[in-house]
Amino acid sequence: MQITEIYKSLQGESTFAGLPCVFVRLTGCNLRCTWCDSEFSFYGGRKMTVEEVVAEVSNLQPSTGTRQLATGNSLVEITGGEPMLQEREVIPLMNCLLDEGYKVLLETSGERPLVKVPPAVIKIVDVKCPHSGEPDTFDLKNLAALQPHDELKFVLTDRTDYEFARDVVNQHDLAGRVNAILFSPAFRKEATGSRDTSHCLLDPKQLAEWIVADDLPARLSLQIHKLIWDPGTKGV
Ligand code: SF4
């Protein structure tokens, strides 16, 4: 499979935020979100076998087996790009990592079918909102593939995006289907410098007020790696 990078950092934007995690970033994406912070993963990378990827993950963070899964010490996130574009290779990779005792997260847009993702993998599905530039790309058939441990994320730039996300959550009773609904303000592309929320395209305070006013079962989520390191830093 084609890999852009494998690195260790803190998980930044889910209910696993703040835990050590090894990231496996696959190359290539079929979407072009306006606020994408991973355009460097669209092309290039290196070809690796499943065994080579697992060996590199293990060098960065040996599996602790099932003993310490609760602490997240064996967390691996498969991300991109869009990992499911390489389904033929990435499914065996997920199975291998699970067999080694890792807790595996998959970050995906949900545009590709998710039905073949192993049930033990925790899917973090990034449903695209209108101002992402890629609206209506989430395949509703994937709702059937969601499991109670999965998470749904909506990256928001303004009120239009918020209302879209709110309505999708309510129409499909998403809070009853997954572990968490994440509402995350989009970060300005190529932001650098101050490590604070001034780079957010939607003020988190405003978003918080909307969530509270609507009594929505959504969790406000900030990309904490962009508040810890310079938001322009790669590989963190
Ligand atoms: S799906 Fe992800 S990687 Fe692809 S363009 Fe959108 S944000 Fe970037």
Side-chain angles (χ1 to χ4, degrees):
M1 76 200 83
Q2 203 67 19
I3 299 287
T4 292
E5 58 181 356
I6 300 175
Y7 63 98
K8 186 173 180 180
S9 185
L10 292 187
Q11 215 286 340
E13 44 185 329
S14 70
T15 63
F16 296 90
L19 290 170
C21 180
V22 173
F23 293 83
V24 178
R25 188 181 302 283
L26 275 73
T27 306
C29 189
N30 52 343
L31 305 188
R32 291 292 180 268
C33 302
T34 51
W35 33 255
C36 178
D37 60 1
S38 309
E39 291 177 330
F40 59 94
S41 71
F42 289 171
Y43 307 103
R46 56 191 161 131
K47 211 170 253 317
M48 295 178 76
T49 64
V50 167
E51 292 72 24
E52 287 168 340
V53 173
V54 173
E56 201 158 320
V57 168
S58 159
N59 281 339
L60 290 168
Q61 180 164 278
S63 168
T64 51
T66 51
R67 269 183 308 119
Q68 296 186 43
L69 282 183
T71 65
N73 280 359
S74 301
L75 209 54
V76 178
E77 176 165 319
I78 296 175
T79 186
E82 173 48 62
M84 293 307 290
L85 292 177
Q86 301 187 64
E87 181 187 289
R88 196 182 55 191
E89 294 84 8
V90 84
I91 299 286
L93 172 62
M94 291 186 233
N95 279 320
C96 255
L97 290 167
L98 290 168
D99 288 347
E100 293 290 320
Y102 290 101
K103 179 171 278 194
V104 180
L105 311 180
L106 168 69
E107 172 101 13
T108 174
S109 71
E111 190 270 345
R112 301 272 113 184
L114 298 176
V115 66
K116 291 187 185 159
V117 175
V121 170
I122 297 167
K123 300 185 283 296
I124 302 172
V125 185
D126 185 351
V127 180
K128 303 302 179 188
C129 296
H131 289 152
S132 68
E134 295 287 2
D136 306 319
T137 47
F138 174 72
D139 184 350
L140 285 173
K141 288 201 282 296
N142 279 326
L143 287 176
L146 293 176
Q147 299 195 85
H149 65 193
D150 290 337
E151 305 189 3
L152 288 166
K153 182 171 66 166
F154 296 82
V155 177
L156 312 171
T157 62
D158 58 14
R159 179 77 191 179
T160 304
D161 282 352
Y162 171 79
E163 289 182 2
F164 167 86
R166 179 194 63 191
D167 294 347
V168 170
V169 168
N170 288 335
Q171 277 163 19
H172 299 286
D173 185 25
L174 296 181
R177 291 174 184 256
V178 293
N179 178 38
I181 310 278
L182 309 162
F183 276 20
S184 181
F187 235 71
R188 187 167 55 80
K189 206 155 110 172
E190 286 156 15
T192 185
S194 57
R195 294 174 292 134
D196 56 41
T197 57
S198 61
H199 298 296
C200 290
L201 298 178
L202 171 60
D203 185 350
K205 178 169 172 280
Q206 175 68 85
L207 177 55
E209 288 168 4
W210 290 340
I211 291 172
V212 171
D214 286 337
D215 204 14
L216 209 61
R219 182 188 299 239
L220 196 154
S221 169
L222 295 171
Q223 295 177 293
I224 63 165
H225 50 292
K226 293 184 177 172
L227 304 175
I228 298 171
W229 291 279
D230 182 299
T233 310
K234 300 283 180 290
V236 293

